[in-house]
Amino acid sequence: MPSVNEQDHLWIAVGDIHDEPGLFARIPELAQADGIIVTGDLTITGGVKQAEMVMDVLRAHNPRTWAQIGNMDRPEVDEWLSGLGCNLHTQVHELTPDTAIFGIGASTFTPFGTPSEFPESTFAGWLENSWQKARKYPHTVLVSHNPPKDSACDVIPGNIHVGSTAVREFLEEAQPDVCLCGHIHEARAVDRVGRTIVVNPGALAQGGYVLLRSSGGKLSVELRVLENCD
């Protein structure tokens, strides 16, 4: 049966902006994008004022911008994004008539005591609740600030995996088409968990971004890196 939505679409996904959105304007595909997706960490322990500065830059390029808190954003940013109608965290939105996007922001506990950290059990509950709505669509995109554990997208120096077990278990069971993640700057990579494509673009300041495409009802991702960002 053919897709109910055969039109081609393109979205640009970035993460870990940390108060530095300047490089965003250098992304060459901006003019063709249907929208922007932010996986988390708009700020560095910032609140609404700092988040608004970042979002203003992104929305000047494309008003159809979805975002969510990362562990570095204060909890008040979550409510503010909901007020704008663009929050991904624990929300389900329609990318196309046959594709849902849903998000889980914040992170599991870190050694740094950042503003938005929660236990694995909380993430498992958020994921299950969101999935009950998202699964009604033929295709799904999970935006998780936390990468899944034991993947190429969650490795820190020393070959230590620090991702979320709840996200990993969810992907293994639910198998959404795509998982866009972030959080671990040095783990810029593309991987798979079953049939789910997992991609972490790393920090925007290091030039990483993702092209998410829908063509003929099928989703694909491409990891890109801007030149001369180091």
Side-chain angles (χ1 to χ4, degrees):
M1 180 177 178
S3 167
V4 297
N5 180 61
E6 297 291 349
Q7 184 177 353
D8 291 349
H9 295 279
L10 168 67
W11 299 272
I12 294 171
V14 296
D16 298 277
I17 298 172
H18 297 302
D19 299 320
E20 296 183 12
L23 282 182
F24 195 78
R26 289 180 49 191
I27 295 176
E29 296 87 359
L30 269 179
Q32 291 78 45
D34 292 271
I36 298 164
I37 300 165
V38 183
T39 65
D41 277 357
L42 293 161
T43 75
I44 304 176
T45 68
V48 170
K49 180 180 179 181
Q50 291 80 10
E52 185 173 20
M53 181 274 292
V54 173
M55 288 294 288
D56 282 349
V57 172
L58 302 187
R59 295 176 86 192
H61 291 286
N62 195 314
R64 197 180 187 201
T65 298
W66 288 290
Q68 64 186 7
I69 59 170
N71 60 296
M72 295 291 285
D73 302 305
R74 296 179 196 166
E76 67 195 61
V77 176
D78 179 52
E79 183 176 355
W80 177 75
L81 289 170
S82 292
L84 290 180
C86 64
N87 198 357
L88 284 170
H89 178 56
T90 70
Q91 304 295 316
V92 179
H93 300 274
E94 187 174 281
L95 272 181
T96 74
D98 60 2
T99 304
I101 185 170
F102 62 111
I104 303 297
S107 81
T108 47
F109 295 117
T110 75
F112 311 109
T114 54
S116 296
E117 300 180 359
F118 299 90
E120 293 281 8
S121 59
T122 298
F123 284 89
W126 283 338
L127 286 161
E128 178 59 29
N129 290 339
S130 298
W131 182 238
Q132 294 309 311
K133 297 178 181 178
R135 68 188 302 174
K136 298 175 184 178
Y137 288 77
H139 301 288
T140 50
V141 177
L142 169 63
V143 183
S144 173
H145 185 61
N146 251 353
K149 189 169 175 61
D150 296 327
S151 66
C153 300
D154 82 323
V155 185
I156 61 174
N159 200 33
I160 301 170
H161 292 274
V162 294
S164 165
T165 57
V167 174
R168 175 82 193 198
E169 290 168 2
F170 172 79
L171 294 183
E172 290 176 343
E173 180 176 349
Q175 294 283 273
D177 296 75
V178 174
C179 175
L180 303 172
C181 58
H183 188 41
I184 310 303
H185 298 185
E186 54 267 61
R188 180 197 296 146
V190 179
D191 203 350
R192 280 186 179 267
V193 176
R195 73 178 186 88
T196 301
I197 303 172
V198 183
V199 57
N200 178 359
L204 177 61
Q206 296 166 353
Y209 66 101
V210 176
L211 301 179
L212 171 66
R213 300 181 190 273
S214 174
S215 181
K218 296 182 179 180
L219 293 172
S220 64
V221 294
E222 184 177 352
L223 178 60
R224 293 284 186 92
V225 183
L226 295 171
E227 295 181 357
N228 303 318
C229 293
D230 297 330

